[in-house]
Amino acid sequence: MTRIAIVEDEDALRENYAEKLTKLGYQVSSYNNRRSAEEAFSVQLPDLAIIDIGLEDEIDGGFDLCQWLRAKSDKLPIIFLTARDDEFDLTTGFAKGGNDYLSKSAPFHQLRLRIQSLISLAQANQQPDVTEQAIEAGLVSIKEGQKLVTYNSQEIDLTLTEFWIVLALVRRPGQVKSRDQLMEAANLTVDPNSINSHIKRIRKKFSGIDSDFDSLKTVHGMGYRWVVTE
């Protein structure tokens, strides 16, 4: 049974999420502050952690907890679930090691989908399906089931949100995707301008492999498209 930990200082909200996830068949443990969570995680890590940013008297306690967890494991799926959905906090969440970031205003089914995707990704990484047909466009290759993206045969370390954005673009090379379309593909509910931040991080990661990377184009006033280069 998959073990999910929820770290949230609002009692009613924490209990609500725990009840819903338990009904879905997950084994759920919950904590109301960073200190109690770290004490439990020192004994055993969960299979996935859901963390709020502000935890009791610690304004950024969730960020600190995420960084602490990431030092323990570079594979543990971590989702930020928070009311703080501005671009600065979103960027900080990913920089601290979060795999995904979701607003508390999002409907529960979006959280459920994010959890399922991250767990599937973790399982696929443990037992990769080498027979899966890759989606290819020039130098980029994507195995959707494994959530694996390579560029010029080198793996790109993308967050789940970044993966869905790249997949949406690579599926239709040359076709312009608006910010709203990319938000829908990535199941995002934050400000559409946050797509700009995701695109910047995606470009930086590909450029780390190839300094001449120029496949991800901005179409001013419209959105973005993937251009095939050799």
Coordinates of all heavy atoms in Angstrom, one line a residue, residues 168-208:
A168 N 3.4 18.3 -24.4 CA 2.4 19.0 -25.2 C 3.0 19.6 -26.5 O 2.4 19.7 -27.5 CB 1.6 20.0 -24.4
L169 N 4.2 20.2 -26.3 CA 4.8 20.9 -27.4 C 5.4 19.9 -28.4 O 5.3 20.1 -29.6 CB 5.9 21.8 -26.9 CG 5.4 23.1 -26.1 CD1 6.6 23.7 -25.3 CD2 4.8 24.1 -27.0
V170 N 6.1 18.9 -27.9 CA 6.8 18.0 -28.8 C 5.8 17.1 -29.6 O 6.1 16.7 -30.7 CB 7.8 17.1 -28.0 CG1 8.4 16.0 -28.8 CG2 8.9 18.0 -27.4
R171 N 4.7 16.8 -29.0 CA 3.7 16.0 -29.8 C 3.3 16.7 -31.1 O 3.0 16.0 -32.1 CB 2.4 15.9 -28.9 CG 2.4 14.8 -27.9 CD 1.0 14.6 -27.3 NE 0.9 13.7 -26.2 CZ 0.9 12.4 -26.2 NH1 1.1 11.8 -27.4 NH2 0.9 11.7 -25.1
R172 N 3.3 18.0 -31.1 CA 2.9 18.8 -32.3 C 4.0 19.8 -32.7 O 3.8 21.0 -32.5 CB 1.5 19.5 -32.1 CG 0.4 18.6 -31.7 CD -0.1 17.8 -33.0 NE -1.3 17.0 -32.7 CZ -1.3 15.8 -32.2 NH1 -0.1 15.2 -31.9 NH2 -2.4 15.2 -32.0
P173 N 5.1 19.3 -33.1 CA 6.2 20.2 -33.4 C 5.8 21.3 -34.5 O 5.1 20.9 -35.5 CB 7.3 19.3 -34.0 CG 6.7 18.0 -34.3 CD 5.5 17.9 -33.4
G174 N 6.1 22.5 -34.2 CA 5.8 23.6 -35.1 C 4.4 24.2 -34.8 O 4.2 25.4 -35.2
Q175 N 3.6 23.6 -34.0 CA 2.3 24.1 -33.7 C 2.4 25.0 -32.5 O 3.0 24.6 -31.5 CB 1.3 23.0 -33.4 CG -0.1 23.4 -33.2 CD -1.1 22.2 -33.0 OE1 -1.4 21.9 -31.8 NE2 -1.5 21.6 -34.1
V176 N 1.8 26.2 -32.5 CA 1.8 27.1 -31.4 C 0.8 26.7 -30.3 O -0.3 26.4 -30.6 CB 1.5 28.5 -31.9 CG1 1.5 29.5 -30.7 CG2 2.5 29.0 -32.9
K177 N 1.3 26.6 -29.1 CA 0.5 26.3 -27.9 C 0.4 27.6 -27.1 O 1.4 28.1 -26.7 CB 1.1 25.2 -27.1 CG 1.0 23.8 -27.8 CD -0.3 23.2 -27.9 CE -0.3 21.8 -28.4 NZ -1.7 21.2 -28.5
S178 N -0.8 28.0 -26.8 CA -1.0 29.2 -25.9 C -0.7 28.8 -24.5 O -0.6 27.6 -24.1 CB -2.5 29.7 -26.0 OG -3.4 28.7 -25.4
R179 N -0.6 29.9 -23.7 CA -0.3 29.6 -22.2 C -1.5 28.8 -21.6 O -1.3 27.9 -20.8 CB -0.1 30.9 -21.5 CG 1.2 31.6 -21.9 CD 1.3 33.0 -21.1 NE 2.6 33.6 -21.4 CZ 2.8 34.4 -22.4 NH1 1.8 34.6 -23.3 NH2 3.9 35.0 -22.6
D180 N -2.7 29.1 -22.0 CA -3.9 28.4 -21.4 C -3.8 27.0 -21.8 O -4.2 26.1 -21.0 CB -5.2 29.1 -22.0 CG -5.5 30.4 -21.3 OD1 -4.9 30.6 -20.2 OD2 -6.2 31.2 -21.8
Q181 N -3.4 26.7 -23.1 CA -3.4 25.3 -23.5 C -2.3 24.5 -22.8 O -2.5 23.3 -22.4 CB -3.1 25.2 -25.0 CG -4.3 25.6 -25.9 CD -3.9 25.7 -27.4 OE1 -2.8 26.2 -27.7 NE2 -4.8 25.1 -28.2
L182 N -1.1 25.2 -22.5 CA -0.1 24.5 -21.7 C -0.5 24.3 -20.3 O -0.1 23.3 -19.6 CB 1.2 25.3 -21.8 CG 1.8 25.4 -23.2 CD1 3.1 26.3 -23.3 CD2 2.2 24.0 -23.7
M183 N -1.2 25.3 -19.7 CA -1.7 25.1 -18.4 C -2.7 23.9 -18.3 O -2.6 23.1 -17.3 CB -2.5 26.4 -17.9 CG -1.6 27.6 -17.6 SD -2.5 29.0 -16.9 CE -3.2 28.3 -15.4
E184 N -3.5 23.8 -19.3 CA -4.4 22.6 -19.3 C -3.7 21.3 -19.4 O -4.0 20.4 -18.7 CB -5.4 22.8 -20.5 CG -6.4 21.7 -20.5 CD -7.4 21.9 -21.7 OE1 -7.4 22.9 -22.4 OE2 -8.3 21.0 -21.9
A185 N -2.6 21.3 -20.3 CA -1.9 20.1 -20.4 C -1.1 19.7 -19.2 O -1.0 18.5 -18.9 CB -0.8 20.3 -21.6
A186 N -0.7 20.7 -18.4 CA 0.0 20.5 -17.1 C -0.9 20.4 -15.9 O -0.4 20.3 -14.8 CB 1.1 21.5 -17.0
N187 N -2.2 20.6 -16.1 CA -3.1 20.6 -15.0 C -2.8 21.7 -14.0 O -2.9 21.5 -12.7 CB -3.2 19.3 -14.2 CG -3.9 18.2 -15.0 OD1 -5.0 18.5 -15.5 ND2 -3.3 17.0 -15.1
L188 N -2.4 22.9 -14.5 CA -2.1 24.0 -13.6 C -3.3 24.9 -13.3 O -4.1 25.1 -14.2 CB -0.9 24.8 -14.2 CG 0.5 24.3 -14.2 CD1 1.4 25.2 -15.0 CD2 1.0 24.1 -12.8
T189 N -3.3 25.4 -12.1 CA -4.4 26.4 -11.8 C -3.9 27.7 -11.3 O -4.6 28.5 -10.8 CB -5.3 25.8 -10.7 OG1 -4.5 25.4 -9.6 CG2 -6.0 24.5 -11.2
V190 N -2.6 27.9 -11.5 CA -2.0 29.2 -11.1 C -2.1 30.2 -12.2 O -2.7 29.9 -13.3 CB -0.5 29.0 -10.7 CG1 -0.5 28.2 -9.4 CG2 0.3 28.4 -11.8
D191 N -1.6 31.4 -12.0 CA -1.6 32.5 -13.0 C -1.0 32.0 -14.3 O 0.1 31.4 -14.2 CB -0.9 33.7 -12.4 CG -1.1 34.9 -13.3 OD1 -0.7 34.9 -14.5 OD2 -1.6 36.0 -12.8
P192 N -1.6 32.3 -15.4 CA -1.0 31.9 -16.7 C 0.4 32.4 -16.9 O 1.2 31.8 -17.6 CB -1.9 32.5 -17.8 CG -3.2 32.6 -17.1 CD -2.9 32.9 -15.6
N193 N 0.8 33.5 -16.3 CA 2.1 34.0 -16.4 C 3.2 33.1 -15.8 O 4.4 33.2 -16.1 CB 2.3 35.4 -15.8 CG 1.5 36.5 -16.6 OD1 1.5 36.4 -17.8 ND2 1.0 37.5 -15.9
S194 N 2.7 32.2 -14.9 CA 3.7 31.2 -14.3 C 4.3 30.3 -15.4 O 5.3 29.7 -15.2 CB 3.0 30.4 -13.2 OG 2.0 29.6 -13.8
I195 N 3.5 30.1 -16.5 CA 4.0 29.3 -17.6 C 5.4 29.9 -18.1 O 6.3 29.2 -18.5 CB 3.0 29.3 -18.8 CG1 1.8 28.5 -18.5 CG2 3.7 28.8 -20.1 CD1 2.1 27.0 -18.3
N196 N 5.5 31.2 -18.1 CA 6.8 31.8 -18.5 C 7.9 31.3 -17.7 O 9.0 31.0 -18.2 CB 6.7 33.4 -18.4 CG 5.6 34.0 -19.2 OD1 5.1 33.3 -20.2 ND2 5.3 35.2 -18.9
S197 N 7.7 31.2 -16.3 CA 8.8 30.7 -15.4 C 9.1 29.3 -15.8 O 10.3 28.9 -15.7 CB 8.3 30.8 -14.0 OG 8.1 32.2 -13.6
H198 N 8.1 28.4 -16.0 CA 8.3 27.0 -16.4 C 9.1 26.9 -17.7 O 10.1 26.1 -17.8 CB 7.0 26.3 -16.5 CG 6.3 26.0 -15.2 ND1 6.8 25.2 -14.3 CD2 5.1 26.5 -14.8 CE1 5.9 25.2 -13.2 NE2 4.9 25.9 -13.5
I199 N 8.8 27.8 -18.6 CA 9.5 27.7 -19.9 C 11.0 28.1 -19.7 O 11.9 27.5 -20.3 CB 8.8 28.7 -20.9 CG1 7.4 28.2 -21.3 CG2 9.7 28.9 -22.2 CD1 7.4 26.9 -22.1
K200 N 11.2 29.1 -18.9 CA 12.6 29.6 -18.6 C 13.4 28.4 -18.0 O 14.6 28.2 -18.4 CB 12.6 30.8 -17.7 CG 12.1 32.1 -18.3 CD 12.2 33.2 -17.3 CE 11.6 34.5 -17.9 NZ 11.6 35.6 -16.9
R201 N 12.8 27.7 -17.1 CA 13.5 26.6 -16.4 C 13.7 25.4 -17.4 O 14.8 24.8 -17.4 CB 12.7 26.1 -15.2 CG 12.8 27.0 -14.0 CD 12.3 26.4 -12.7 NE 10.9 26.1 -12.8 CZ 9.9 27.0 -12.5 NH1 10.3 28.2 -12.1 NH2 8.7 26.6 -12.6
I202 N 12.7 25.2 -18.3 CA 12.9 24.1 -19.3 C 14.0 24.5 -20.2 O 14.9 23.6 -20.5 CB 11.6 24.0 -20.1 CG1 10.5 23.3 -19.1 CG2 11.8 23.1 -21.3 CD1 9.1 23.4 -19.7
R203 N 14.1 25.7 -20.7 CA 15.1 26.1 -21.6 C 16.5 26.0 -20.9 O 17.5 25.5 -21.6 CB 14.9 27.6 -22.0 CG 13.9 27.8 -23.1 CD 14.0 29.2 -23.7 NE 13.0 29.4 -24.7 CZ 12.1 30.3 -24.7 NH1 11.9 31.1 -23.6 NH2 11.2 30.5 -25.7
K204 N 16.6 26.4 -19.7 CA 17.8 26.3 -19.0 C 18.3 24.8 -18.8 O 19.5 24.6 -19.0 CB 17.7 26.9 -17.6 CG 19.0 27.0 -16.7 CD 18.7 27.7 -15.4 CE 20.0 27.7 -14.6 NZ 19.8 28.4 -13.3
K205 N 17.4 23.9 -18.6 CA 17.8 22.5 -18.5 C 18.3 21.9 -19.8 O 19.2 21.2 -19.8 CB 16.6 21.7 -17.9 CG 16.3 22.1 -16.4 CD 15.1 21.3 -15.9 CE 14.9 21.6 -14.4 NZ 13.8 20.9 -13.8
F206 N 17.6 22.3 -20.9 CA 18.0 21.8 -22.2 C 19.4 22.4 -22.6 O 20.2 21.8 -23.2 CB 17.0 22.0 -23.2 CG 15.9 21.0 -23.3 CD1 14.7 21.1 -22.5 CD2 16.0 19.9 -24.1 CE1 13.7 20.2 -22.5 CE2 15.0 18.9 -24.1 CZ 13.9 19.1 -23.4
S207 N 19.5 23.7 -22.3 CA 20.7 24.4 -22.6 C 21.9 23.9 -21.8 O 23.1 24.0 -22.2 CB 20.6 25.9 -22.3 OG 19.6 26.5 -23.2
G208 N 21.6 23.3 -20.6 CA 22.7 22.6 -19.9 C 23.3 21.4 -20.6 O 24.4 21.0 -20.3

